[in-house]
Amino acid sequence: MALPQNLSFKDRMSSFGTFVWNSEEGKFLGRGAKSWAEIGLFYLIYYTCLAGFFVGMLAVFYQTIDESQPKLTGTDSLLKGNPGMGFKPMPDVEYTLVRFRADVKENKPLVDNIKEVLKPYKQAQENGQGVNCSLGNPAPDGKVCMVDFLALTAECNEANNFGYDGLNPKPCLL
């Protein structure tokens, strides 16, 4: 039904109000109670099936995940044999850079972070509690692999604050 183009604002608002709730026919937004019930039931069933499908796919996905190791490694992975790099001391997470300055006070958190990382290895060497590890045989929880700690810290040690001190500083990254 085409409406005349020269309706007043009051007539248009009245027409819109009748569309929202038509008391003569008992319709809300142009639909009766039965029509709203049908469409509501349809969408309830539709979204229930959609949620069930999502949960089913999530369950299948979680069945393919191994909790102890990645599914794709080495040349089968997305990295194709080019590993990422993890390093210590941890950088400022906002910049992901290790910022080095010649000021000893500013470098203290970096030095402390390296000390904290090396602490279990140093204690294991001193107490003889390290575990022999290999590629397929990682250290169990709470243990560390045997490392030649003296060779590891030959140039990078607590005596020179891991390269953050001196006239010609060369900071260490592990």
Side-chain angles (χ1 to χ4, degrees):
M1 172 175 129
L3 293 175
Q5 295 297 325
N6 55 359
L7 288 176
S8 69
F9 180 75
K10 182 180 178 183
D11 291 338
R12 288 183 185 182
M13 287 297 109
S14 174
S15 177
F16 178 73
T18 303
F19 167 72
V20 172
W21 173 246
N22 186 343
S23 59
E24 292 174 9
E25 297 178 18
K27 292 183 176 181
F28 177 71
L29 296 177
R31 294 183 179 272
K34 181 181 176 189
S35 177
W36 279 112
E38 289 172 348
I39 201 165
L41 181 64
F42 168 78
Y43 280 110
L44 178 69
I45 293 170
Y46 175 75
Y47 284 116
T48 301
C49 291
L50 193 62
F53 179 74
F54 176 75
V55 168
M57 291 296 107
L58 205 56
V60 168
F61 172 73
Y62 276 120
Q63 292 299 316
T64 65
I65 293 178
D66 185 1
E67 298 274 337
S68 62
Q69 66 185 23
K71 183 175 182 179
L72 302 174
T73 59
T75 57
D76 295 332
S77 73
L78 292 174
L79 297 175
K80 302 290 184 223
N82 295 320
M85 184 177 104
F87 54 92
K88 295 290 182 176
M90 284 301 294
D92 183 355
V93 293
E94 290 185 19
Y95 305 106
T96 64
L97 293 173
V98 175
R99 292 183 179 256
F100 169 72
R101 294 189 180 92
D103 184 12
V104 176
K105 289 181 183 176
E106 286 192 33
N107 295 326
K108 185 172 181 346
L110 300 173
V111 172
D112 291 343
N113 190 282
I114 292 176
K115 284 180 186 177
E116 190 66 31
V117 170
L118 293 177
K119 185 178 177 182
Y121 296 99
K122 185 177 182 181
Q123 289 175 345
Q125 182 184 6
E126 290 172 355
N127 300 335
Q129 296 177 339
V131 177
N132 287 325
C133 301
S134 63
L135 182 61
N137 184 23
D141 289 342
K143 298 282 186 177
V144 295
C145 294
M146 287 293 282
V147 174
D148 186 357
F149 191 76
L150 295 176
L152 179 67
T153 60
E155 295 180 22
C156 186
N157 53 47
E158 286 187 56
N160 68 1
N161 268 342
F162 302 101
Y164 287 89
D165 286 351
L167 297 173
N168 189 16
K170 294 180 181 176
C172 299
L173 297 176
L174 302 179

